[in-house]
Amino acid sequence: GRSYPDSLRPPMFAVLSSSWVIPGILGPSLATLIDHAVGWRAVFLGLLPFGLAAGVLTLPALRAIGPGEVDETHGPDPSRLPDAVRVAAGAAALLAGRGSGNMLVAVALVVVGAATAWPSYLRLVPPGTVRAKPGLPAAVLIRGMLTFAFFGADAYVPLALKEVRGMSTFWIGVLLTMTTLTWTGGAWLQARAVARVGASRLVVLGHLLIVGGVAVTALTLWRDVPVVVAFVGWPFAGFGIGLAYASISVTVLREAAPGREGAATSALQLTDQLGVALGTGLGGAAVALGDAGGWDPASSIAVAWGIAAVVAAGGALVGRRLPGPVGDAAPIPPG
């Protein structure tokens, strides 16, 4: 927001999406090799040096940008940190309650978690966010719906293909790589189209593609359906989130008041991560309850995917509250 004019932000978000291509191609294959050679735990431990390296590379670049212009009437507020901690703690308690096998413990954790997180969350996001007020509040809300829907389904695609269809980790990695590529393709398409057609249409279309992708992929839960169907359905969902994700980021920077870009993007990232946590957490609770009840894994995964599809359909409705075309946006230069 401080380094690029409005007309260059859509392609810049596409460039950021492109940085996922090489990891998306190499990552699943390397993870499979490490899993067979050492064990799956080594995959996660091996990620730690990359995070440290990224921090070392990023910090000097961020310092070069400088503090920017600060809105003196809404300066940094240290009191917001406890609210952020309460949101994280409340979300953790809520998810722990959803996955608890003891009904009394589950109810207590859900109630305490919601009561702890909700008031703090409202203080950290723009007024009107939970009501999907048109503009910035709706953009913040819909990011959480988008990540809830996509990752709430995506987290259980490997489980479905392995446990229900007996697919090897190699082919599961191929599918995830294809989805990464279509996500990037969607991001590049939005870079060319968002100023002309508007964020609203792209975000609505993105959510509808996720609904369709979940529905088509869910067909593979029936063992008589060819498993190749998943290689058609889930990349469509990847293309959908590629269209919508960057469009929402562009909208938030455009709609944020001068000097409030940091607060707006903080609210966006908070809602983004809550969507991932709640989507995967509620899906995991459905899978865990099904496992405890002796269900066929296909049934519990179908419940998790059904939840994700319903939220994606809701996101398509909320997406209509985002801005339309930007008539005065400068044309995006080629390349």
Side-chain angles (χ1 to χ4, degrees):
R2 295 175 184 169
S3 301
Y4 292 86
D6 185 72
S7 62
L8 291 181
R9 290 172 190 164
M12 189 59 207
F13 281 117
V15 169
L16 291 174
S17 296
S18 298
S19 68
W20 307 336
V21 172
I22 292 177
I25 293 172
L26 298 181
S29 299
L30 289 174
T32 300
L33 293 174
I34 295 170
D35 178 27
H36 288 301
V38 184
W40 63 267
R41 292 175 178 83
V43 174
F44 293 91
L45 292 174
L47 296 177
L48 296 178
F50 289 96
L52 294 174
V56 170
L57 291 171
T58 304
L59 189 57
L62 292 177
R63 285 177 172 168
I65 294 174
E69 296 180 5
V70 178
D71 183 345
E72 296 296 338
T73 61
H74 298 89
D77 184 1
S79 68
R80 293 163 67 87
L81 180 59
D83 279 325
V85 173
R86 283 191 287 268
V87 170
L94 181 65
L95 294 174
R98 295 291 296 178
S100 175
N102 185 305
M103 182 59 67
L104 290 177
V105 172
V107 171
L109 285 173
V110 168
V111 171
V112 170
T116 301
W118 186 250
S120 293
Y121 176 74
L122 293 179
R123 288 192 289 268
L124 293 172
V125 297
T129 294
V130 296
R131 294 184 285 105
K133 182 180 177 182
L136 177 62
V140 170
L141 174 64
I142 203 170
R143 173 61 73 80
M145 300 179 76
L146 177 68
T147 55
F148 184 114
F150 181 81
F151 291 105
D154 183 72
Y156 303 101
V157 169
L159 179 67
L161 296 180
K162 184 173 179 61
E163 297 296 327
V164 179
R165 302 306 301 264
M167 184 176 287
S168 69
T169 53
F170 172 79
W171 286 108
I172 293 173
V174 170
L175 175 59
L176 298 179
T177 297
M178 291 173 59
T179 305
T180 299
L181 294 175
T182 55
W183 182 329
T184 303
W188 275 104
L189 179 59
Q190 72 78 34
R192 297 294 177 181
V194 67
R196 184 176 68 257
V197 306
S200 178
R201 290 183 181 178
L202 294 178
V203 171
V204 170
L205 177 58
H207 281 82
L208 292 177
L209 287 172
I210 291 174
V211 173
V214 172
V216 172
T217 307
L219 294 175
T220 60
L221 296 175
W222 282 272
R223 293 170 176 84
D224 293 334
V225 174
V227 74
V228 71
V229 167
F231 288 78
V232 176
W234 200 238
F236 265 105
F239 188 74
I241 193 172
L243 285 177
Y245 195 92
S247 299
I248 295 169
S249 299
V250 170
T251 300
V252 167
L253 285 179
R254 182 177 293 149
E255 296 289 319
R260 296 291 292 163
E261 295 88 353
T265 52
S266 299
L268 181 70
Q269 294 299 324
L270 172 64
T271 308
D272 183 312
Q273 296 304 316
L274 278 177
V276 174
L278 294 176
T280 56
L282 291 178
V287 171
L289 289 174
D291 184 61
W295 296 7
D296 185 315
S299 300
S300 55
I301 293 171
V303 173
W305 284 353
I307 294 171
V310 168
V311 174
L317 295 176
V318 175
R320 299 169 63 184
R321 294 174 174 260
L322 298 186
V326 181
D328 58 351
I332 297 172

